[in-house]
């Protein structure tokens, strides 16, 4: 930290953001005919991202795993939001010490179109209706999502358009995604991107990116 005259403090942070130093800052104006100093290099993210519920997957995203429940006629798929919730809790159980049983959000029962709550048991791979105690088997199936993964690029949605991730992180994202799909890695990773000081969480279940500082959520896409 150094001073300039009797009014200005200057902090030199490492350019790679390996560490940073903070000071209280007042409001400064440079007049209407001048541009901001060059050291204001990080623009704040806008709030133009799509508004998604906690378990709602991105509309741009093809979920790599699908959950089904079985009745007398065969396998029936859970709807997208239920699938996302069940898969997220399964990943929590598999990789992060979560419980092997979770309670579902309300699911509409096909026989009478009434909303019901279910207990999902990952060890026994079954769902139990909380009200009737009726048990059905469940299955998790991997979809054909790995074809051409290494030849595809990763994007995030901003202001209604898709922005390509920096080339330095494309391989890191693809590697983490492949590990999730083959079962050797978790569904969520946290990383930093070149040119940004914040950390971001990428969720391969929902297909979203979350700024860990501002909590801004953006949709992911591979193409």
């Amino acid at each position: 930290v150094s001073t300039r005259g009797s009014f200005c403090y200057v902090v030199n942070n490492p350019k790679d953001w390996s560490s940073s130093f903070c000071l209280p800052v007042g409001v400064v104006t440079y007049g209407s005919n001048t541009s901001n100093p060059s050291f204001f290099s990080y623009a704040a993210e806008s709030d133009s991202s799509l508004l998604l519920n906690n378990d709602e997957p991105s509309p741009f995203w093809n979920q790599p795993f699908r959950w089904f429940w079985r009745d007398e006629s065969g396998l029936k798929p859970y709807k997208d939001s239920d699938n996302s919730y069940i898969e997220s809790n399964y990943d929590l159980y598999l990789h992060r010490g979560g419980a092997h049983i979770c309670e579902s959000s309300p699911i509409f029962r096909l026989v009478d179109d009434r909303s019901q709550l279910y207990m999902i048991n990952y060890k026994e791979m079954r769902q139990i209706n909380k009200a009737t105690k009726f048990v059905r088997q469940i299955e998790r199936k991997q979809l054909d999502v790995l074809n051409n993964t290494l030849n595809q690029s990763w994007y995030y949605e901003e202001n209604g358009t898709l922005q390509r991730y920096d080339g330095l992180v494309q391989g890191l994202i693809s590697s983490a995604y492949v590990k999730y799909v083959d079962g050797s890695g978790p569904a969520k990773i946290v990383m930093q991107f070149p040119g940004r000081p914040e950390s971001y969480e990428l969720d391969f279940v929902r297909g979203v990116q979350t700024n860990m500082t501002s909590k801004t959520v953006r949709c992911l896409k591979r193409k």
Side-chain angles (χ1 to χ4, degrees), residues 93-113:
Y93 156 66
L94 200 63
H95 293 288
R96 292 178 283 163
H100 72 278
I101 295 177
C102 74
E103 181 178 311
S104 75
S105 52
I107 297 175
F108 283 93
R109 194 167 60 173
L110 294 186
V111 65
D112 56 10
D113 200 29

Side-chain angles (χ1 to χ4, degrees), residues 21 24 50 83 92 96 106 112 135 147 153 173 180 183 195 206 219:
F21 307 92
L50 295 178
N83 188 81
L92 188 65
R96 292 178 283 163
D112 56 10
V135 176
N147 288 342
S153 293
I173 299 175
Y180 161 58
R206 298 176 59 213
C219 297

Side-chain angles (χ1 to χ4, degrees), residues 65-72 74-79 82-83 85-91 93 99-104 107 117-129 134-142:
F65 291 97
R66 196 79 198 188
W67 287 84
F68 300 81
W69 54 274
R70 183 180 293 276
D71 69 2
E72 295 74 14
L75 293 176
K76 307 291 185 183
Y78 290 96
K79 69 179 183 179
D82 295 331
N83 188 81
Y85 176 83
I86 295 171
E87 176 66 16
S88 292
N89 280 278
Y90 180 71
D91 178 71
Y93 156 66
H100 72 278
I101 295 177
C102 74
E103 181 178 311
S104 75
I107 297 175
L117 293 175
Y118 294 85
M119 302 303 296
I120 307 296
N121 188 318
Y122 296 118
K123 284 186 178 179
E124 300 176 3
M125 294 298 281
R126 63 181 188 171
Q127 71 171 31
I128 304 99
N129 186 306
F134 193 83
V135 176
R136 292 192 185 276
Q137 292 302 120
I138 61 175
E139 293 186 26
R140 178 182 186 250
K141 290 183 176 292
Q142 180 179 321

Side-chain angles (χ1 to χ4, degrees), residues 33-219:
N33 297 319
T34 59
S35 59
N36 288 339
S38 60
F39 52 79
F40 289 129
S41 58
Y42 298 111
E45 289 192 306
S46 66
D47 294 327
S48 62
S49 55
L50 295 178
L51 297 178
L52 301 174
N53 295 324
N54 287 339
D55 303 311
E56 186 180 358
S58 159
F60 304 126
W61 189 246
N62 293 319
Q63 298 181 67
F65 291 97
R66 196 79 198 188
W67 287 84
F68 300 81
W69 54 274
R70 183 180 293 276
D71 69 2
E72 295 74 14
S73 62
L75 293 176
K76 307 291 185 183
Y78 290 96
K79 69 179 183 179
D80 284 351
S81 57
D82 295 331
N83 188 81
S84 178
Y85 176 83
I86 295 171
E87 176 66 16
S88 292
N89 280 278
Y90 180 71
D91 178 71
L92 188 65
Y93 156 66
L94 200 63
H95 293 288
R96 292 178 283 163
H100 72 278
I101 295 177
C102 74
E103 181 178 311
S104 75
S105 52
I107 297 175
F108 283 93
R109 194 167 60 173
L110 294 186
V111 65
D112 56 10
D113 200 29
R114 294 178 60 186
S115 178
Q116 300 282 306
L117 293 175
Y118 294 85
M119 302 303 296
I120 307 296
N121 188 318
Y122 296 118
K123 284 186 178 179
E124 300 176 3
M125 294 298 281
R126 63 181 188 171
Q127 71 171 31
I128 304 99
N129 186 306
K130 287 194 68 176
T132 67
K133 308 304 180 184
F134 193 83
V135 176
R136 292 192 185 276
Q137 292 302 120
I138 61 175
E139 293 186 26
R140 178 182 186 250
K141 290 183 176 292
Q142 180 179 321
L143 305 181
D144 187 19
V145 295
L146 280 181
N147 288 342
N148 301 318
T149 291
L150 297 180
N151 296 323
Q152 292 182 323
S153 293
W154 290 85
Y155 298 81
Y156 61 93
E157 177 271 336
E158 183 176 22
N159 298 323
T161 62
L162 293 176
Q163 307 291 333
R164 187 179 185 275
Y165 282 103
D166 191 277
L168 291 176
V169 300
Q170 289 283 338
L172 296 176
I173 299 175
S174 290
S175 177
Y177 178 72
V178 169
K179 287 181 179 179
Y180 161 58
V181 173
D182 69 20
S184 63
K188 295 180 179 181
I189 61 169
V190 176
M191 59 193 310
Q192 277 189 294
F193 303 136
R196 297 298 307 182
E198 310 96 335
S199 293
Y200 294 81
E201 179 186 77
L202 274 63
D203 183 343
F204 297 131
V205 175
R206 298 176 59 213
V208 295
Q209 160 199 293
T210 303
N211 183 313
M212 302 295 285
T213 301
S214 68
K215 305 305 179 184
T216 299
V217 178
R218 301 195 184 281
C219 297

